[in-house]
Every structure is written in structure tokens, then in C-alpha cells.
Amino acid sequence: PIGKNSISVLLAIGTSLLALAYLLPNLRKKLAFIFGEKLKDDYLVKYKSFELQSFFSISFVRYVIFSSQFVLSLLFFGVQIPILEAYMAIAIVYLISAIIPTFILGELGVRESAALLVMMPLGGDELGIFAATFFLWLVNLLLPSIVGAIIHLFNSKKEIQ
């Protein structure tokens, strides 16, 4: 099972990689030197360092928002995991969810399973973890999809008339 030490190590590795990518604007040039011509076709090379830092910053803010939603959802559903450990566990849940290929509704069971796998050893309540994860899926994926479909339906009717 995944314990506190494993989560800490994975978080440290992830944070280190994140810091390297963000703090070294010339990382692309260094990588191109190491890997040679192979990197020239990389899509990241097409962007300037400032653009990459902007994309990265926006992605980081998005990650913090989603992770904070997850923590608040866990607290709301009564999961008794310390907040710092919850953030570390959430990082691993997102990593597992990103690694496992899913499509459309296939993501529904993957994130819940990953959350249970990672958070149960930390003392989390099984029902609370599942409810919090499912609630986030509803709020962040299902509801926006329904609203978007309704808006698209009404816009399509306007175009036909």
C-alpha cells in the first residue's frame, strides 16, 4: 500500500520537476544540446520561454484550484485526512488518472478508484472519498457538459430559423 513516505517522495519528485521546468527558461536549449536534432520537432520548441512560462503558470493555477476543490470536497464529506497529506495524495491521484487512458465517461471510475487506493491507507473513509471524488466529477465535468449541450442546442435552433 501507498504510505506517507511514498507520497512524500512522489510529491518531492513532482515538485522538483515542476520547479526545473518553470525556473529554467533555457531548459529547452539545454535539452536540445543533450538530445540533438531529435528535439527540434518538439512542439515546445516552437514557443518562446515567456509563452511557456505563461502556459505553465495558468496550468499551475488550474491545478491549485482543482486540488483545493478536492480538499474542500473531502472535508465536506467528512474524510479525516490532514490537509497537507490530502494535497499530497491528490497529486498522486491526478498522476494515476493521467497515466490510465480513458475516454468520455470512462474517467468516472478511474479517479474514484485511484482516490480510494491512495487515500484509504491514510485513514480516509471509503464512502467519503468516493462521494467527494464523484461530487467533483459532477461539478467539473458533468454539469458543464450539460450546460454546454443546452447552449449548443439553443444556438443550433437559432441558426436553423
Side-chain angles (χ1 to χ4, degrees):
I2 298 175
K4 294 178 185 179
N5 290 339
S6 301
I7 292 174
S8 298
V9 168
L10 288 173
L11 182 65
I13 291 170
T15 304
S16 299
L17 291 174
L18 190 68
L20 276 175
Y22 188 72
L23 297 174
L24 298 175
N26 294 325
L27 183 62
R28 292 178 299 143
K29 293 176 187 173
K30 292 176 184 176
L31 289 175
F33 176 76
I34 294 169
F35 294 108
E37 297 293 320
K38 203 175 186 181
L39 195 65
K40 283 190 177 179
D41 294 333
D42 188 10
Y43 69 94
L44 291 177
V45 176
K46 297 176 185 177
Y47 296 100
K48 297 177 183 172
S49 291
F50 173 76
E51 292 172 324
L52 289 174
Q53 288 176 346
S54 297
F55 298 151
F56 195 73
S57 297
I58 291 168
S59 296
F60 181 74
V61 169
R62 179 180 180 265
Y63 172 79
V64 169
I65 289 170
F66 282 142
S67 296
S68 297
Q69 278 183 329
F70 206 153
V71 168
L72 291 173
S73 182
L74 288 168
L75 292 173
F76 178 77
F77 286 101
V79 178
Q80 299 295 321
I81 299 176
I83 292 178
L84 182 59
E85 289 180 15
Y87 274 106
M88 289 187 275
I90 289 167
I92 295 172
V93 169
Y94 287 158
L95 177 65
I96 293 170
S97 298
I99 291 172
I100 298 174
T102 59
F103 63 97
I104 307 174
L105 294 175
E107 183 184 323
L108 182 57
V110 173
R111 188 168 294 161
E112 286 80 1
S113 299
L116 288 170
L117 173 75
V118 173
M119 294 181 191
M120 287 291 293
L122 299 176
D125 172 42
E126 185 176 349
L127 184 59
I129 293 169
F130 182 83
T133 310
F134 183 72
F135 176 73
L136 285 179
W137 180 81
L138 284 173
V139 169
N140 290 329
L141 293 172
L142 186 63
L143 290 178
S145 297
I146 291 171
V147 170
I150 292 170
I151 291 171
H152 180 70
L153 179 68
F154 284 118
N155 285 340
S156 296
K157 287 183 178 181
K158 287 181 184 178
E159 289 177 10
I160 294 174
Q161 295 173 356

